[in-house]
Amino acid sequence: MNQSEQLRQRALQVMPNGNTRGAVWYNPYPMYVAHGNGAHITDVDGNRFLDLTNNLGVLIHGHAHPAIVEAVQKQAGLGSCFALPTEHEIALAELMCGRIEACERIRFINTGSEAVGLAIKIARAFTGKSRIIKLEGVYHGSYDYAEISNYSTPENWGNSPTAVETIPATPAGVLDSVVVTAANDIPMLQKRLQQESDIAAVIVDPVPPRCGMQPLHTDYIEALRKLTREHNALLIYDEVIALRFGFHGAQGRFGGDPDLTAFGKIIGGGYPVGAVAGRADIMEATRTKVGSSGTFTANPITMVAGLAGMQALDQPAYDALENLGHRMREQCTAVIDAQQAPMQVSGVGAMFSIYFHQRQARDYRSYYKTPAENAATERFHQCMLKHGVLIAPTATCFLSTVMSADDEAHFADAFAAAVQDFVHS
Ligand SMILES: Cc1ncc(COP(=O)(O)O)c(C=O)c1O
């Protein structure tokens, strides 16, 4: 029995299925990590992998980035958290507000889920309305009101999609408070806003992974902005992942001018984080009406790590990530074409996913995976592991600034070998 298997057996005694994080689970059980360095991780059995999960998009500078390690080590000796603010939160706030035009004021919190929840509460408090519109199939974390219709099945589709629970026995009041619409469908959005009352906000991920990992169409983004204004609803962007697509945010690159934005992942440099930012008059609600807080909010370890990470993520770093993503997608497509594999790669900037069909996905419905496609995704994940590359169980790859030319070549070889195995297995 190897070390990972032994740890798995121990974990089974104390955790359901031996696990505390569903999104990173894969069959028969995930390997246990010993350490990470740069673009690589080593498991407890001494196996080394090129890590293209980067903790599902958190580690844009890979593992143990020297500037982040130094900042954290220094701060750890000075105290990890206080019931008082520190200068570090101002520095990270200044960086974020300086980069993203629509972010006039910012408030930190501890996770992306909390950031989404806080953004929705702010929208309710500001507008005096209580319901939201969200996109079918789009993931926004675990806040009850955002966790609706995440896995909506075809019988709930149609022109007025039903809001369906993701978690069994979600209260009817929660379901009634969420209106669902399909990505990139302007007439449906228009109809939903006209027919449904009490809408405080429309929340979207501007590059929704479960809609094909492409930016929302420009005309849809324009319609979102125009229609939300017409209906006195706020537009909330969830850039928990999408901030990685542009130095000025996904909003700076693809437009939209949102009223509020939820952030997370990369802004904490590898430590737990979330933030909500937006128009100053709207953000004022966090002071007057929505008592946002949290024991670990803006803790100085996260703040110094986040600042070091974001400072290292300058415009040249974004440009390099963009080029790397482009080259890697081209490499994948060349392999897929040469081997005539029933797959495609889709993504933007430093992120892409492998899909096991050749439909063009524009929304959740066209992206929706058949059971065979789900099985293929699982199988391909294993094929990549066999060739020394860890990708997310959804076959998604998150690139980092520390990938070298050798890492890129390793990926290209592993991908070609994995597709060969996949096609012939
Ligand atoms: C788009 C999006 N929003 C929100 C979240 C929730 O963030 P967290 O896991 O930090 O709560 C995630 C997490 O993956 C996400 O991808």
Side-chain angles (χ1 to χ4, degrees):
M1 197 189 283
N2 67 26
Q3 298 279 327
S4 272
E5 207 173 331
Q6 286 178 30
L7 291 173
R8 154 94 176 140
Q9 293 307 325
R10 258 178 71 195
L12 277 171
Q13 308 307 310
V14 282
M15 289 177 264
N17 198 28
N19 179 247
T20 58
R21 193 173 169 203
V24 296
W25 175 262
Y26 58 81
N27 277 320
Y29 54 86
M31 65 180 128
Y32 281 78
V33 182
H35 52 87
N37 187 263
H40 294 89
I41 53 166
T42 303
D43 75 4
V44 287
D45 291 293
N47 304 305
R48 191 166 179 263
F49 296 86
L50 174 64
D51 181 13
L52 293 187
T53 68
N54 283 302
N55 193 20
L56 304 189
V58 170
L59 302 170
I60 202 151
H61 300 301
H63 299 274
H65 185 272
I68 298 177
V69 171
E70 191 188 333
V72 168
Q73 281 176 339
K74 185 171 163 218
Q75 184 59 41
L78 298 171
S80 62
C81 50
F82 307 98
L84 287 169
T86 67
E87 186 179 344
H88 306 301
E89 71 186 63
I90 307 173
L92 186 56
E94 286 169 344
L95 181 142
M96 294 295 294
C97 292
R99 280 190 189 187
I100 297 165
E101 202 183 334
C103 298
E104 295 172 358
R105 294 289 184 275
I106 190 165
R107 193 108 179 186
F108 293 104
I109 194 120
N110 298 304
T111 63
S113 298
E114 289 176 63
V116 165
L118 179 58
I120 291 172
K121 288 178 193 173
I122 295 170
R124 289 189 196 123
F126 181 78
T127 60
K129 300 190 272 184
S130 62
R131 302 170 80 212
I132 60 160
I133 297 184
K134 81 170 287 261
L135 299 181
E136 191 172 64
V138 173
Y139 180 72
H140 292 291
S142 57
Y143 179 59
D144 278 0
Y145 294 84
E147 206 174 27
I148 297 298
S149 289
N150 282 9
Y151 300 102
S152 178
T153 44
E155 61 277 15
N156 298 300
W157 299 353
N159 286 332
S160 301
T162 316
V164 285
E165 61 188 20
T166 300
I167 308 287
T170 295
V174 173
L175 290 166
D176 289 345
S177 303
V178 182
V179 175
V180 177
T181 195
N184 291 320
D185 188 329
I186 298 174
M188 190 189 290
L189 174 69
Q190 215 156 12
K191 196 177 87 178
R192 298 306 252 167
L193 276 163
Q194 268 160 10
Q195 291 181 348
E196 300 291 338
S197 59
D198 203 31
I199 301 297
V202 179
I203 182 167
V204 299
D205 180 336
V207 188
R210 292 200 205 146
C211 298
M213 206 169 285
Q214 289 296 321
L216 293 173
H217 299 170
T218 306
D219 59 347
Y220 189 73
I221 289 178
E222 286 167 4
L224 273 170
R225 186 58 287 184
K226 181 168 166 285
L227 293 171
T228 44
R229 285 211 173 108
E230 279 173 20
H231 290 269
N232 295 319
L234 300 188
L235 177 59
I236 304 175
Y237 266 23
D238 177 348
E239 292 213 25
V240 169
I241 286 186
L243 177 60
R244 65 164 40 233
F245 300 124
F247 182 74
H248 300 294
Q251 55 201 264
R253 180 168 173 182
F254 305 117
D257 190 24
D259 301 298
L260 292 171
T261 307
F263 297 106
K265 302 221 186 217
I266 63 172
I267 71 163
Y271 292 79
V273 79
V276 182
R279 255 174 46 200
D281 60 326
I282 300 173
M283 289 297 293
E284 190 63 8
T286 56
R287 187 177 67 80
T288 55
K289 297 175 179 163
V290 184
S292 82
S293 193
T295 304
F296 295 104
T297 291
N299 74 79
I301 301 277
T302 295
M303 295 295 106
V304 297
L307 186 65
M310 291 304 288
Q311 281 171 336
L313 196 61
D314 53 12
Q315 185 67 64
Y318 268 100
D319 293 344
L321 281 169
E322 188 71 26
N323 293 333
L324 176 65
H326 182 71
R327 284 196 306 273
M328 288 174 73
R329 283 188 288 278
E330 281 197 337
Q331 286 159 358
C332 292
T333 302
V335 168
I336 290 167
D337 290 350
Q339 301 206 31
Q340 296 184 323
M343 311 161 56
Q344 62 178 313
V345 58
S346 180
V348 60
M351 185 170 165
F352 56 85
S353 209
I354 315 295
Y355 299 110
F356 298 88
H357 61 74
Q358 291 183 322
R359 304 183 294 278
Q360 175 138 35
R362 71 191 297 274
D363 54 19
Y364 171 71
R365 298 174 189 190
S366 43
Y367 151 90
Y368 187 70
K369 291 181 182 176
T370 63
E373 288 164 17
N374 277 321
T377 308
E378 197 174 324
R379 205 152 53 83
F380 189 72
H381 175 261
Q382 289 295 322
C383 293
M384 289 298 287
L385 263 186
K386 187 177 137 200
H387 295 285
V389 180
L390 177 71
I391 62 176
T394 51
T396 301
C397 300
F398 301 87
L399 314 183
S400 73
T401 57
V402 292
M403 277 184 71
S404 65
D406 281 353
D407 297 328
E408 199 181 330
H410 175 188
F411 171 79
D413 290 346
F415 187 80
V419 171
Q420 175 112 26
D421 290 355
F422 176 77
V423 169
H424 295 106
S425 62

